[in-house]
Amino acid sequence: MTQDKRTLNDLERELSLFARHYLSTRQARAGQRLDRSAYLLLTRLELSGSMSLGQLAEAFRLDISTINRQVGALLKQGFVERFPDPDGGMARRFRPTDEGLRQLAADRDRSREGVGTVVAEWPQDELATFVDLLTRFNIDIEGVEGNPWPRERDTHG
């Protein structure tokens, strides 16, 4: 096995473990109300502003029925609201409610605390390097897929 192939093999394995660890600890974190799909949908709406079901389906690369079900759950919980599309027609758009944004912020704080526990002993420069490389990796994935994710200007804030 060549060094390049060995390195890619190691990267693939570590990314699989990363996903496993992150998702399992995030789901088990006490006090969080949002499931993974709700967290991601609210995050996207917070960053992008209001979106239609079609736009959300395209952004998440999911079929409309899946997005409709996920948004429906958020509507029932009072975390998003539906309103007529300002461009007219039958289309409806969705935006987070104040309660949805409060819950997202609370869950994000709990998630940040959990991640902070893991990296508590890391030197600040190593943590910053890790964030920069992970951001670059995600941006490159988005470039390959042609599906960029909106980001806040200060990704370290």
Side-chain angles (χ1 to χ4, degrees):
M1 183 182 293
T2 66
Q3 183 63 32
D4 286 349
K5 191 169 184 172
R6 191 172 303 123
T7 300
L8 288 175
N9 188 53
D10 292 347
L11 176 61
E12 189 281 330
R13 180 187 61 247
E14 294 304 323
L15 286 172
S16 296
L17 290 171
F18 174 79
R20 178 189 161 279
H21 293 311
Y22 185 73
L23 290 175
S24 67
T25 58
R26 186 170 169 3
Q27 290 170 349
R29 204 160 290 128
Q32 287 190 321
R33 286 184 57 192
L34 301 173
D35 63 24
R36 181 177 176 273
S37 65
Y39 187 91
L40 291 171
L41 280 167
L42 284 170
T43 297
R44 182 63 186 240
L45 290 169
E46 177 188 44
L47 292 170
S48 296
S50 68
M51 297 175 76
S52 68
L53 286 176
Q55 291 169 322
L56 287 166
E58 184 178 323
F60 285 95
R61 303 279 205 245
L62 294 171
D63 62 81
I64 205 94
S65 64
T66 300
I67 286 293
N68 190 36
R69 186 176 62 252
Q70 292 173 351
V71 170
L74 290 173
L75 279 165
K76 284 181 186 175
Q77 294 173 297
F79 293 155
V80 297
E81 60 187 356
R82 177 182 17 223
F83 64 98
D85 190 325
D87 294 332
M90 296 291 294
R92 299 288 179 255
R93 295 179 73 85
F94 299 88
R95 64 182 162 223
T97 62
D98 289 342
E99 179 58 26
L101 291 174
R102 274 192 291 278
Q103 189 59 54
L104 177 61
D107 279 16
R108 186 178 288 139
D109 287 346
R110 286 183 192 92
S111 183
R112 189 180 301 122
E113 288 170 12
V115 171
T117 300
V118 173
V119 298
E121 301 299 318
W122 288 31
Q124 188 60 37
D125 62 324
E126 288 183 12
L127 181 56
T129 298
F130 181 68
V131 171
D132 289 343
L133 291 171
L134 190 55
T135 301
R136 178 181 173 188
F137 184 80
N138 283 327
I139 289 171
D140 287 349
I141 289 172
E142 295 159 14
V144 168
E145 292 181 347
N147 190 17
W149 188 266
R151 286 179 170 74
E152 297 173 9
R153 286 182 203 226
D154 178 12
T155 59
H156 296 277

